[in-house]
Every structure is written in C-alpha cells, then in structure tokens.
Amino acid sequence: MPSTQFAIYTALAANLAIAATKFVAASVSGSSAMLSEGIHSLVDTLNEFLLLLGIKRSQKQPDENRPFGYGKEVYFYSYIVSLLIFSVGGGVSFYEGITHIQHPHAIEDPFWNYVVLGIAFALDGFSLLTAFKAFNAQRGKTPFWKAVKDSKDPSTFVVLFEDASDVLGLLIAFLGVFLGHELQNPYIDGAASILIGCILMGVAIVLARESKSLLLGEGADPEIRSQVRAVTQALKDSESLKSQLTFQMGPEQVVVIQQVCFNSNLNSEELIKAVAELKENIITQVAPVTHVFIEPVKG
C-alpha cells in the first residue's frame, strides 16, 4: 500500500474511534470544547473517506467522456474536504463556543474528558507521525512550505494538516477543560471551542487555496519540464524545441504539448516516424507524462 494511502487509513481509524469517545465524554461532562473536538474528529473521518474516494476515482482509465483520465478527481475531493473543514468543523465549533458563552454550563466531572483526551492524543499523535513521514518521503529535501505549495498530490498534505490541527485542538481542549474546571469558569471552555473553530478555519483556507490551484490547472514541475526538454533535444532528428506547454491532470498524470523543429532533410514518412519516436521516448523516460502532442514547425 502506498505511504499516502496508509497515512489516510491510519487517520481514518484513529478519528472514527476518537469521535465516538469524545461525544460520550462531552455528553457526560457537558464540555463545549469536548463537543467541538467530537465534531472535529467526525468531520475528519468523513474527510478521509472522501480522500480515499478521490484517489480511487482518479485511477480510472481514460474513456470517451474523459479522454485525459480522471486524475483531477483527487483535486476535486481535496477541495471538498477543505470546504467541510471550514464550514462543518470550524463553523460548528465556533458556533458551539458562542452558544456555550451565551448559556454557560459548568463542567461537572472532567475525569472522562481527561481519559478521552489522553487516548485521542496518543492516536492522533501516531496518525500525525505517519502522515509526516509520508509527506517527508514525498518532498525529499524540498523546504516544507515550498513542498506544500509545489505538491501535485494534495491528499498527503491534507491529512498532515488535519492531523496537526487535531493535536493542536486536543491541547486547546485540554486547557479549556482544565482551566474551566479548576477556576470554575465555564466561559474558558467556550473560548477554547471558539479557538478550535478558528484554527480549523485557518487550516481549511490554506488547503482550499492549494487544492483550488491544482483543480483549475497547474503546469508540471520545472524538473519534469526540464526532463522532457532533455529527451526532446536528445533525439537525433530534432533540431530545436520552439515551445512547450504542460498540464498537471493528476498527481501522476502530465500532458505535454510541444512545437519542435525537426531536421529539414526528413521526408514526410521520416518526419512521422521521428514524431512518433519522440512521443514514445518522452512517455517511457519521463514517468508522470501520460499524453504527448508534437507539432512539427520550421526552424
């Protein structure tokens, strides 16, 4: 199983178990922050399902309706995930915090809250570590934020940001429950819920921005373009590369359109063979490239 999918399955299992225990603890203690965390984990569980669905659908073979394949499915579902984090996760948590401040309710017994938070922190921490390892394997030596911006596979950093917000939210929920109970101030618990909502909204905005860029269309990485250029120039019958356009159609699907000046001594049959050879060389030697269009032009 690819490391990206393993990270998603790990997060899915963790969030599903945690959501149930958080809701139980919230019903017992009446904690607003714990209820917000339960909603957060429930939304994250749905998000993992959507990411897995997007990955599965993106692997469908091209057909008459989608001749370039279904690679952008993963971009679409990643964008939907960011909207859910903002509206359901962040919005409901923010609303719950406001409601709790308007109608304060003291936490009666925080014991089960602490138990659930401890279990959740261990599970989410493991999930975060798994997602971080998967993202590190993908980015190599590229700086973190540059890797997020340049990544063509949003499923990896979506899970990473989700898990990071989970762990941070748990710490805030713990402080809200602890301080609210110790100081007998229910407003602190409500404020913690509002802060959790703000964090989720902030994460959602970052994810939506990156997913939107991929969904609307980005060119291939400079390294990929350079490799295609090198293969083109290596062909004995090509004299120069006049222009190059690339489109990222999926995490591992790139379309290349080039204008190439071939040897002027080639006859029609030889030119056709040279174009076909160049297409085959690019597809076989540059792994992400799936479609190549070559337009012969005069020098």
Side-chain angles (χ1 to χ4, degrees), residues 42-247:
L42 189 62
V43 172
D44 283 351
T45 302
L46 176 60
N47 290 344
E48 265 78 67
F49 274 116
L50 290 175
L51 286 176
L52 290 171
L53 177 62
I55 291 174
K56 182 178 180 181
R57 289 184 61 86
S58 70
Q59 295 170 347
K60 291 178 61 177
Q61 295 299 313
D63 54 32
E64 292 183 0
N65 294 325
R66 301 280 289 276
F68 290 105
Y70 289 76
K72 282 185 178 283
E73 291 278 356
V74 69
Y75 299 157
F76 170 76
Y77 282 100
S78 296
Y79 189 72
I80 294 298
V81 164
S82 66
L83 295 181
L84 285 174
I85 293 175
F86 184 91
S87 59
V88 182
V92 173
S93 295
F94 192 89
Y95 173 79
E96 176 61 27
I98 294 294
T99 302
H100 193 80
I101 289 176
Q102 291 176 336
H103 308 285
H105 175 71
I107 298 176
E108 299 173 1
D109 183 5
F111 173 75
W112 288 110
N113 281 348
Y114 295 146
V115 172
V116 171
L117 285 172
I119 295 173
F121 189 84
L123 292 175
D124 276 333
F126 175 75
S127 180
L128 175 61
L129 182 61
T130 303
F132 191 68
K133 287 182 177 179
F135 185 71
N136 277 344
Q138 185 186 76
R139 74 184 179 98
K141 296 182 179 180
T142 306
F144 181 86
W145 285 109
K146 179 175 174 56
V148 171
K149 183 178 179 180
D150 295 344
S151 176
K152 307 303 182 183
D153 185 1
S155 58
T156 302
F157 64 75
V158 166
V159 175
L160 176 62
F161 275 62
E162 273 188 358
D163 289 341
S165 64
D166 285 345
V167 172
L168 184 57
L170 288 170
L171 293 175
I172 294 172
F174 169 77
L175 290 175
V177 171
F178 177 76
L179 295 176
H181 181 258
E182 291 297 318
L183 301 177
Q184 291 299 301
N185 186 345
Y187 296 105
I188 296 177
D189 188 44
S193 182
I194 292 174
L195 184 55
I196 292 171
C198 291
I199 290 173
L200 291 175
M201 289 180 180
V203 169
I205 290 172
V206 173
L207 297 180
R209 183 185 63 188
E210 297 303 324
S211 297
K212 173 190 172 184
S213 179
L214 289 166
L215 186 61
L216 294 181
E218 288 187 0
D221 288 334
E223 182 180 352
I224 300 300
R225 299 199 299 268
S226 179
Q227 291 177 12
V228 173
R229 190 178 303 112
V231 172
T232 302
Q233 294 171 344
L235 187 73
K236 64 177 182 179
D237 290 323
S238 77
E239 294 185 346
S240 62
L241 175 61
K242 293 298 183 181
S243 68
Q244 181 189 75
L245 295 174
T246 60
F247 298 95

